[in-house]
Amino acid sequence: MVSYRNIRVLLLILSLILICTPGCGFIQKDQTPEEIFSLALSGLAGKEKLSFEGQAGLRRESNGVFENQFKFAGKLEDHNRLTLQTRLPGVATSGGTQMSATSVLPAGQPGGFSASFQRRKGQWMALSNDQEPLRGALSRYNPISQLENIDRMNKTIKSEYGGGRRTQILRIELKPEDAKAWATTQLDAEMSAMREEYMRKAKAIGGTNQVKLEQELERVWEQGEVTMDKMMKQASVQTVYHLTVDRKTSLPLRLSSESQVSYRDMNNKKNTEALVTDVNFGAYE
């Protein structure tokens, strides 16, 4: 006859086996925050399809008031093909770069603009399409690319309380020099995308007006690049992410971020801007 004590021992052994079995997908209590992040990234990399919805906004001078807020959504298909689309028409401004939504639909209908990307050799490349204005400007809102870039940078990762039994929250702070270099790279990419877009429109005009317009655009762009380079050299950047991970599957559920840039403008006035984003993942396949 099996005694009550024996049953308790068997249950204890079974629990230990379930906890210690590798590959079961559960986040273990003794795993480091770095290991949890790596598992989340690996799980994300193995998915063929997923979707996400997010929102972004710009806050100036830490006054708590957000400007130019907009929503966006994305869908990953065939593992390497991603479509991003803003959900609301309007203008999104970040780090001094203005992104105008040109494909605005009638009032009351969803509008905005979209961008398509293809992952090639570990990099997300914007696909050229005349119907996707300023596609490069949307690249910074790709949460998959964000996580992949975070993995390559110097950072500190800590566990935070409040995740509950089902989730684990990680606080990821980039090293300031890496955060600044990344912000500069993103701004350069956005500037290049805008330049290509406007040059394409100038070329469509043709004639002598095309030459004059292209020359003026080149002058404006060169001046803008010099100004941006000067500002970014003196700027300081702080970027913090919060990643919520499912304890059972090790998959990311939510990624929020705040990237704060402090710089001096042409009048030597100190300014502070913070780009804040919040993304929720879903529909993993």
Side-chain angles (χ1 to χ4, degrees):
M1 179 178 295
V2 180
S3 67
Y4 176 74
R5 180 179 178 181
N6 289 336
I7 293 176
R8 291 186 59 188
V9 171
L10 288 173
L11 289 175
L12 178 60
I13 293 174
L14 180 60
S15 299
L16 290 173
I17 291 174
L18 289 174
I19 292 174
C20 298
T21 299
C24 64
F26 286 87
I27 295 175
Q28 310 302 325
K29 290 184 178 180
D30 59 347
Q31 286 179 324
T32 67
E34 290 80 7
E35 290 171 337
I36 296 173
F37 176 78
S38 294
L39 277 174
L41 192 62
S42 297
L44 190 67
K47 294 300 178 181
E48 290 288 328
K49 296 181 180 181
L50 64 88
S51 62
F52 56 84
E53 292 187 352
Q55 54 187 334
L58 185 71
R59 188 180 66 230
R60 299 182 188 273
E61 303 299 339
S62 301
N63 57 11
V65 178
F66 284 92
E67 304 175 14
N68 305 316
Q69 297 181 68
F70 71 102
K71 296 181 180 180
F72 58 93
K75 180 181 291 186
L76 177 72
E77 296 180 303
D78 299 327
H79 192 72
N80 293 317
R81 185 159 49 89
L82 179 73
T83 302
L84 264 169
Q85 181 175 1
T86 59
R87 288 297 182 119
L88 297 177
V91 176
T93 307
S94 59
T97 302
Q98 185 169 326
M99 303 178 292
S100 301
T102 58
S103 56
V104 180
L105 300 180
Q109 296 185 29
F113 57 100
S114 65
S116 298
F117 300 88
Q118 184 80 28
R119 179 161 45 191
R120 298 170 181 166
K121 297 181 179 180
Q123 299 295 325
W124 290 95
M125 309 298 293
L127 302 178
S128 178
N129 188 325
D130 291 347
Q131 303 303 316
E132 296 176 348
L134 302 181
R135 57 195 178 277
L138 266 181
S139 61
R140 72 160 66 202
Y141 303 105
N142 174 0
I144 303 174
S145 175
Q146 295 277 306
L147 288 168
E148 291 171 346
N149 278 284
I150 290 171
D151 187 48
R152 291 189 283 264
M153 288 186 282
N154 294 309
K155 56 194 171 292
T156 57
I157 307 179
K158 298 180 180 179
S159 294
E160 287 200 339
Y161 294 105
R165 298 180 62 182
R166 291 187 59 254
T167 60
Q168 172 72 53
I169 300 176
L170 301 178
R171 182 184 187 276
I172 307 167
E173 182 171 0
L174 303 183
K175 294 295 183 183
E177 55 270 23
D178 282 31
K180 181 176 177 178
W182 193 16
T184 302
T185 298
Q186 289 175 316
L187 286 173
D188 286 341
E190 291 175 8
M191 290 286 286
S192 296
M194 292 175 67
R195 181 182 181 279
E196 291 176 10
E197 202 68 44
Y198 283 104
M199 282 299 183
R200 181 184 63 80
K201 292 179 179 179
K203 187 176 181 179
I205 295 176
T208 57
N209 289 331
Q210 174 190 341
V211 176
K212 291 181 180 180
L213 184 56
E214 287 178 343
Q215 290 175 345
E216 180 63 17
L217 285 172
E218 285 290 352
R219 185 189 67 80
V220 171
W221 245 261
E222 288 178 2
Q223 182 180 353
E225 287 179 344
V226 170
T227 301
M228 188 183 73
D229 288 344
K230 182 178 180 180
M231 290 170 53
M232 289 305 295
K233 284 180 180 178
Q234 301 173 350
S236 61
V237 182
Q238 292 181 312
T239 302
V240 176
Y241 287 86
H242 286 89
L243 176 65
T244 302
V245 181
D246 188 300
R247 288 183 181 273
K248 182 177 181 180
T249 64
S250 296
L251 289 171
L253 296 177
R254 181 182 181 186
L255 180 67
S256 60
S257 71
E258 179 170 332
S259 185
Q260 188 176 90
V261 182
S262 298
Y263 64 94
R264 292 189 178 276
D265 60 22
M266 299 305 295
N267 298 318
N268 203 36
K269 179 183 176 182
K270 188 175 181 180
N271 295 273
T272 301
E273 297 180 0
L275 177 66
V276 180
T277 66
D278 190 10
V279 179
N280 289 287
F281 294 88
Y284 283 108
E285 291 184 26

mmCIF file with all atom_site columns, all heavy atoms in Angstrom, residues 23 31 38 42 63 75 95 108 129 142 144 181 183 212 234 246 257 265 272 278:
data_model
loop_
_atom_site.group_PDB
_atom_site.id
_atom_site.type_symbol
_atom_site.label_atom_id
_atom_site.label_alt_id
_atom_site.label_comp_id
_atom_site.label_asym_id
_atom_site.label_entity_id
_atom_site.label_seq_id
_atom_site.pdbx_PDB_ins_code
_atom_site.Cartn_x
_atom_site.Cartn_y
_atom_site.Cartn_z
_atom_site.occupancy
_atom_site.B_iso_or_equiv
_atom_site.pdbx_formal_charge
_atom_site.auth_seq_id
_atom_site.auth_comp_id
_atom_site.auth_asym_id
_atom_site.auth_atom_id
_atom_site.pdbx_PDB_model_num
ATOM 1   N N   . GLY A 1 23  ? 14.538  22.739 -22.233 1.00 0.00 ? 23  GLY A N   1
ATOM 2   C CA  . GLY A 1 23  ? 13.749  22.898 -23.450 1.00 0.00 ? 23  GLY A CA  1
ATOM 3   C C   . GLY A 1 23  ? 12.257  22.928 -23.221 1.00 0.00 ? 23  GLY A C   1
ATOM 4   O O   . GLY A 1 23  ? 11.498  22.915 -24.171 1.00 0.00 ? 23  GLY A O   1
ATOM 5   N N   . GLN A 1 31  ? 17.621  31.596 -13.596 1.00 0.00 ? 31  GLN A N   1
ATOM 6   C CA  . GLN A 1 31  ? 18.174  32.154 -14.818 1.00 0.00 ? 31  GLN A CA  1
ATOM 7   C C   . GLN A 1 31  ? 18.471  33.636 -14.633 1.00 0.00 ? 31  GLN A C   1
ATOM 8   O O   . GLN A 1 31  ? 17.713  34.371 -14.010 1.00 0.00 ? 31  GLN A O   1
ATOM 9   C CB  . GLN A 1 31  ? 17.205  31.961 -15.985 1.00 0.00 ? 31  GLN A CB  1
ATOM 10  C CG  . GLN A 1 31  ? 17.143  30.523 -16.491 1.00 0.00 ? 31  GLN A CG  1
ATOM 11  C CD  . GLN A 1 31  ? 16.164  30.384 -17.634 1.00 0.00 ? 31  GLN A CD  1
ATOM 12  O OE1 . GLN A 1 31  ? 15.131  31.042 -17.635 1.00 0.00 ? 31  GLN A OE1 1
ATOM 13  N NE2 . GLN A 1 31  ? 16.472  29.525 -18.582 1.00 0.00 ? 31  GLN A NE2 1
ATOM 14  N N   . SER A 1 38  ? 18.104  36.397 -23.811 1.00 0.00 ? 38  SER A N   1
ATOM 15  C CA  . SER A 1 38  ? 18.570  35.556 -24.920 1.00 0.00 ? 38  SER A CA  1
ATOM 16  C C   . SER A 1 38  ? 17.506  34.548 -25.342 1.00 0.00 ? 38  SER A C   1
ATOM 17  O O   . SER A 1 38  ? 17.304  34.293 -26.539 1.00 0.00 ? 38  SER A O   1
ATOM 18  C CB  . SER A 1 38  ? 19.856  34.827 -24.526 1.00 0.00 ? 38  SER A CB  1
ATOM 19  O OG  . SER A 1 38  ? 20.914  35.736 -24.335 1.00 0.00 ? 38  SER A OG  1
ATOM 20  N N   . SER A 1 42  ? 15.756  34.335 -28.977 1.00 0.00 ? 42  SER A N   1
ATOM 21  C CA  . SER A 1 42  ? 15.799  33.082 -29.730 1.00 0.00 ? 42  SER A CA  1
ATOM 22  C C   . SER A 1 42  ? 14.400  32.629 -30.113 1.00 0.00 ? 42  SER A C   1
ATOM 23  O O   . SER A 1 42  ? 14.167  32.156 -31.238 1.00 0.00 ? 42  SER A O   1
ATOM 24  C CB  . SER A 1 42  ? 16.491  31.995 -28.903 1.00 0.00 ? 42  SER A CB  1
ATOM 25  O OG  . SER A 1 42  ? 17.843  32.332 -28.643 1.00 0.00 ? 42  SER A OG  1
ATOM 26  N N   . ASN A 1 63  ? 8.106   67.557 -19.621 1.00 0.00 ? 63  ASN A N   1
ATOM 27  C CA  . ASN A 1 63  ? 6.919   68.199 -19.054 1.00 0.00 ? 63  ASN A CA  1
ATOM 28  C C   . ASN A 1 63  ? 5.709   67.278 -19.021 1.00 0.00 ? 63  ASN A C   1
ATOM 29  O O   . ASN A 1 63  ? 4.630   67.667 -18.577 1.00 0.00 ? 63  ASN A O   1
ATOM 30  C CB  . ASN A 1 63  ? 6.579   69.471 -19.845 1.00 0.00 ? 63  ASN A CB  1
ATOM 31  C CG  . ASN A 1 63  ? 6.361   69.192 -21.323 1.00 0.00 ? 63  ASN A CG  1
ATOM 32  O OD1 . ASN A 1 63  ? 6.266   68.035 -21.744 1.00 0.00 ? 63  ASN A OD1 1
ATOM 33  N ND2 . ASN A 1 63  ? 6.285   70.245 -22.115 1.00 0.00 ? 63  ASN A ND2 1
ATOM 34  N N   . LYS A 1 75  ? 3.185   43.324 -39.237 1.00 0.00 ? 75  LYS A N   1
ATOM 35  C CA  . LYS A 1 75  ? 2.953   41.891 -39.418 1.00 0.00 ? 75  LYS A CA  1
ATOM 36  C C   . LYS A 1 75  ? 4.189   41.263 -40.055 1.00 0.00 ? 75  LYS A C   1
ATOM 37  O O   . LYS A 1 75  ? 4.687   41.744 -41.073 1.00 0.00 ? 75  LYS A O   1
ATOM 38  C CB  . LYS A 1 75  ? 1.731   41.658 -40.309 1.00 0.00 ? 75  LYS A CB  1
ATOM 39  C CG  . LYS A 1 75  ? 1.420   40.180 -40.540 1.00 0.00 ? 75  LYS A CG  1
ATOM 40  C CD  . LYS A 1 75  ? 0.219   40.007 -41.454 1.00 0.00 ? 75  LYS A CD  1
ATOM 41  C CE  . LYS A 1 75  ? -1.058  40.455 -40.775 1.00 0.00 ? 75  LYS A CE  1
ATOM 42  N NZ  . LYS A 1 75  ? -2.257  40.155 -41.617 1.00 0.00 ? 75  LYS A NZ  1
ATOM 43  N N   . GLY A 1 95  ? 13.677  63.347 -32.787 1.00 0.00 ? 95  GLY A N   1
ATOM 44  C CA  . GLY A 1 95  ? 15.074  63.725 -32.893 1.00 0.00 ? 95  GLY A CA  1
ATOM 45  C C   . GLY A 1 95  ? 15.331  64.810 -33.922 1.00 0.00 ? 95  GLY A C   1
ATOM 46  O O   . GLY A 1 95  ? 16.381  64.862 -34.547 1.00 0.00 ? 95  GLY A O   1
ATOM 47  N N   . GLY A 1 108 ? -12.432 60.298 -40.578 1.00 0.00 ? 108 GLY A N   1
ATOM 48  C CA  . GLY A 1 108 ? -13.140 59.180 -39.981 1.00 0.00 ? 108 GLY A CA  1
ATOM 49  C C   . GLY A 1 108 ? -12.628 57.835 -40.424 1.00 0.00 ? 108 GLY A C   1
ATOM 50  O O   . GLY A 1 108 ? -13.061 56.808 -39.910 1.00 0.00 ? 108 GLY A O   1
ATOM 51  N N   . ASN A 1 129 ? 9.114   51.343 -52.988 1.00 0.00 ? 129 ASN A N   1
ATOM 52  C CA  . ASN A 1 129 ? 7.746   51.324 -53.496 1.00 0.00 ? 129 ASN A CA  1
ATOM 53  C C   . ASN A 1 129 ? 7.237   52.760 -53.512 1.00 0.00 ? 129 ASN A C   1
ATOM 54  O O   . ASN A 1 129 ? 7.238   53.435 -52.491 1.00 0.00 ? 129 ASN A O   1
ATOM 55  C CB  . ASN A 1 129 ? 6.847   50.453 -52.620 1.00 0.00 ? 129 ASN A CB  1
ATOM 56  C CG  . ASN A 1 129 ? 5.463   50.258 -53.230 1.00 0.00 ? 129 ASN A CG  1
ATOM 57  O OD1 . ASN A 1 129 ? 4.910   51.140 -53.877 1.00 0.00 ? 129 ASN A OD1 1
ATOM 58  N ND2 . ASN A 1 129 ? 4.905   49.081 -53.010 1.00 0.00 ? 129 ASN A ND2 1
ATOM 59  N N   . ASN A 1 142 ? 10.310  49.229 -35.786 1.00 0.00 ? 142 ASN A N   1
ATOM 60  C CA  . ASN A 1 142 ? 10.285  47.781 -35.967 1.00 0.00 ? 142 ASN A CA  1
ATOM 61  C C   . ASN A 1 142 ? 10.821  47.130 -34.684 1.00 0.00 ? 142 ASN A C   1
ATOM 62  O O   . ASN A 1 142 ? 12.019  47.156 -34.434 1.00 0.00 ? 142 ASN A O   1
ATOM 63  C CB  . ASN A 1 142 ? 11.150  47.409 -37.165 1.00 0.00 ? 142 ASN A CB  1
ATOM 64  C CG  . ASN A 1 142 ? 11.295  45.903 -37.352 1.00 0.00 ? 142 ASN A CG  1
ATOM 65  O OD1 . ASN A 1 142 ? 10.762  45.105 -36.594 1.00 0.00 ? 142 ASN A OD1 1
ATOM 66  N ND2 . ASN A 1 142 ? 12.041  45.527 -38.373 1.00 0.00 ? 142 ASN A ND2 1
ATOM 67  N N   . ILE A 1 144 ? 11.205  44.068 -33.800 1.00 0.00 ? 144 ILE A N   1
ATOM 68  C CA  . ILE A 1 144 ? 12.092  42.928 -34.017 1.00 0.00 ? 144 ILE A CA  1
ATOM 69  C C   . ILE A 1 144 ? 13.510  43.422 -34.253 1.00 0.00 ? 144 ILE A C   1
ATOM 70  O O   . ILE A 1 144 ? 14.480  42.930 -33.665 1.00 0.00 ? 144 ILE A O   1
ATOM 71  C CB  . ILE A 1 144 ? 11.606  42.074 -35.204 1.00 0.00 ? 144 ILE A CB  1
ATOM 72  C CG1 . ILE A 1 144 ? 10.169  41.614 -34.977 1.00 0.00 ? 144 ILE A CG1 1
ATOM 73  C CG2 . ILE A 1 144 ? 12.528  40.878 -35.420 1.00 0.00 ? 144 ILE A CG2 1
ATOM 74  C CD1 . ILE A 1 144 ? 9.564   40.898 -36.165 1.00 0.00 ? 144 ILE A CD1 1
ATOM 75  N N   . ALA A 1 181 ? 25.357  56.418 -30.528 1.00 0.00 ? 181 ALA A N   1
ATOM 76  C CA  . ALA A 1 181 ? 25.748  55.953 -31.860 1.00 0.00 ? 181 ALA A CA  1
ATOM 77  C C   . ALA A 1 181 ? 24.544  55.403 -32.618 1.00 0.00 ? 181 ALA A C   1
ATOM 78  O O   . ALA A 1 181 ? 24.391  55.644 -33.829 1.00 0.00 ? 181 ALA A O   1
ATOM 79  C CB  . ALA A 1 181 ? 26.836  54.887 -31.729 1.00 0.00 ? 181 ALA A CB  1
ATOM 80  N N   . ALA A 1 183 ? 21.305  56.180 -32.092 1.00 0.00 ? 183 ALA A N   1
ATOM 81  C CA  . ALA A 1 183 ? 20.404  57.289 -32.412 1.00 0.00 ? 183 ALA A CA  1
ATOM 82  C C   . ALA A 1 183 ? 20.909  58.048 -33.634 1.00 0.00 ? 183 ALA A C   1
ATOM 83  O O   . ALA A 1 183 ? 20.123  58.431 -34.519 1.00 0.00 ? 183 ALA A O   1
ATOM 84  C CB  . ALA A 1 183 ? 20.279  58.224 -31.218 1.00 0.00 ? 183 ALA A CB  1
ATOM 85  N N   . LYS A 1 212 ? 17.019  72.894 -61.020 1.00 0.00 ? 212 LYS A N   1
ATOM 86  C CA  . LYS A 1 212 ? 17.013  73.907 -59.975 1.00 0.00 ? 212 LYS A CA  1
ATOM 87  C C   . LYS A 1 212 ? 16.545  73.318 -58.643 1.00 0.00 ? 212 LYS A C   1
ATOM 88  O O   . LYS A 1 212 ? 17.112  73.612 -57.589 1.00 0.00 ? 212 LYS A O   1
ATOM 89  C CB  . LYS A 1 212 ? 16.105  75.070 -60.378 1.00 0.00 ? 212 LYS A CB  1
ATOM 90  C CG  . LYS A 1 212 ? 16.638  75.891 -61.541 1.00 0.00 ? 212 LYS A CG  1
ATOM 91  C CD  . LYS A 1 212 ? 15.683  77.028 -61.861 1.00 0.00 ? 212 LYS A CD  1
ATOM 92  C CE  . LYS A 1 212 ? 16.213  77.850 -63.040 1.00 0.00 ? 212 LYS A CE  1
ATOM 93  N NZ  . LYS A 1 212 ? 15.299  78.973 -63.391 1.00 0.00 ? 212 LYS A NZ  1
ATOM 94  N N   . GLN A 1 234 ? 27.554  66.963 -29.681 1.00 0.00 ? 234 GLN A N   1
ATOM 95  C CA  . GLN A 1 234 ? 27.464  67.546 -28.344 1.00 0.00 ? 234 GLN A CA  1
ATOM 96  C C   . GLN A 1 234 ? 26.348  66.925 -27.503 1.00 0.00 ? 234 GLN A C   1
ATOM 97  O O   . GLN A 1 234 ? 26.248  67.206 -26.306 1.00 0.00 ? 234 GLN A O   1
ATOM 98  C CB  . GLN A 1 234 ? 27.233  69.061 -28.445 1.00 0.00 ? 234 GLN A CB  1
ATOM 99  C CG  . GLN A 1 234 ? 28.333  69.798 -29.200 1.00 0.00 ? 234 GLN A CG  1
ATOM 100 C CD  . GLN A 1 234 ? 27.987  71.262 -29.418 1.00 0.00 ? 234 GLN A CD  1
ATOM 101 O OE1 . GLN A 1 234 ? 26.864  71.698 -29.171 1.00 0.00 ? 234 GLN A OE1 1
ATOM 102 N NE2 . GLN A 1 234 ? 28.961  72.029 -29.883 1.00 0.00 ? 234 GLN A NE2 1
ATOM 103 N N   . ASP A 1 246 ? 6.885   36.191 -21.522 1.00 0.00 ? 246 ASP A N   1
ATOM 104 C CA  . ASP A 1 246 ? 6.000   35.134 -21.033 1.00 0.00 ? 246 ASP A CA  1
ATOM 105 C C   . ASP A 1 246 ? 6.842   34.047 -20.368 1.00 0.00 ? 246 ASP A C   1
ATOM 106 O O   . ASP A 1 246 ? 7.758   33.495 -20.981 1.00 0.00 ? 246 ASP A O   1
ATOM 107 C CB  . ASP A 1 246 ? 5.204   34.540 -22.203 1.00 0.00 ? 246 ASP A CB  1
ATOM 108 C CG  . ASP A 1 246 ? 4.118   33.581 -21.753 1.00 0.00 ? 246 ASP A CG  1
ATOM 109 O OD1 . ASP A 1 246 ? 4.457   32.571 -21.096 1.00 0.00 ? 246 ASP A OD1 1
ATOM 110 O OD2 . ASP A 1 246 ? 2.950   33.816 -22.060 1.00 0.00 ? 246 ASP A OD2 1
ATOM 111 N N   . SER A 1 257 ? 9.863   51.602 -24.565 1.00 0.00 ? 257 SER A N   1
ATOM 112 C CA  . SER A 1 257 ? 11.166  52.253 -24.531 1.00 0.00 ? 257 SER A CA  1
ATOM 113 C C   . SER A 1 257 ? 11.019  53.754 -24.335 1.00 0.00 ? 257 SER A C   1
ATOM 114 O O   . SER A 1 257 ? 9.972   54.342 -24.629 1.00 0.00 ? 257 SER A O   1
ATOM 115 C CB  . SER A 1 257 ? 11.940  51.993 -25.824 1.00 0.00 ? 257 SER A CB  1
ATOM 116 O OG  . SER A 1 257 ? 11.370  52.702 -26.906 1.00 0.00 ? 257 SER A OG  1
ATOM 117 N N   . ASP A 1 265 ? 20.703  73.695 -29.383 1.00 0.00 ? 265 ASP A N   1
ATOM 118 C CA  . ASP A 1 265 ? 20.305  74.095 -30.725 1.00 0.00 ? 265 ASP A CA  1
ATOM 119 C C   . ASP A 1 265 ? 21.252  75.164 -31.274 1.00 0.00 ? 265 ASP A C   1
ATOM 120 O O   . ASP A 1 265 ? 22.285  75.476 -30.674 1.00 0.00 ? 265 ASP A O   1
ATOM 121 C CB  . ASP A 1 265 ? 18.851  74.572 -30.740 1.00 0.00 ? 265 ASP A CB  1
ATOM 122 C CG  . ASP A 1 265 ? 18.618  75.770 -29.812 1.00 0.00 ? 265 ASP A CG  1
ATOM 123 O OD1 . ASP A 1 265 ? 19.595  76.487 -29.483 1.00 0.00 ? 265 ASP A OD1 1
ATOM 124 O OD2 . ASP A 1 265 ? 17.463  75.991 -29.419 1.00 0.00 ? 265 ASP A OD2 1
ATOM 125 N N   . THR A 1 272 ? 15.734  69.126 -24.440 1.00 0.00 ? 272 THR A N   1
ATOM 126 C CA  . THR A 1 272 ? 15.620  67.707 -24.120 1.00 0.00 ? 272 THR A CA  1
ATOM 127 C C   . THR A 1 272 ? 14.365  67.151 -24.774 1.00 0.00 ? 272 THR A C   1
ATOM 128 O O   . THR A 1 272 ? 13.279  67.695 -24.609 1.00 0.00 ? 272 THR A O   1
ATOM 129 C CB  . THR A 1 272 ? 15.556  67.467 -22.599 1.00 0.00 ? 272 THR A CB  1
ATOM 130 O OG1 . THR A 1 272 ? 16.736  67.991 -21.991 1.00 0.00 ? 272 THR A OG1 1
ATOM 131 C CG2 . THR A 1 272 ? 15.471  65.973 -22.296 1.00 0.00 ? 272 THR A CG2 1
ATOM 132 N N   . ASP A 1 278 ? 5.684   52.052 -27.234 1.00 0.00 ? 278 ASP A N   1
ATOM 133 C CA  . ASP A 1 278 ? 5.096   50.938 -26.485 1.00 0.00 ? 278 ASP A CA  1
ATOM 134 C C   . ASP A 1 278 ? 4.487   49.970 -27.486 1.00 0.00 ? 278 ASP A C   1
ATOM 135 O O   . ASP A 1 278 ? 3.601   50.343 -28.257 1.00 0.00 ? 278 ASP A O   1
ATOM 136 C CB  . ASP A 1 278 ? 4.025   51.452 -25.513 1.00 0.00 ? 278 ASP A CB  1
ATOM 137 C CG  . ASP A 1 278 ? 3.561   50.395 -24.542 1.00 0.00 ? 278 ASP A CG  1
ATOM 138 O OD1 . ASP A 1 278 ? 4.197   49.310 -24.481 1.00 0.00 ? 278 ASP A OD1 1
ATOM 139 O OD2 . ASP A 1 278 ? 2.571   50.624 -23.830 1.00 0.00 ? 278 ASP A OD2 1
#
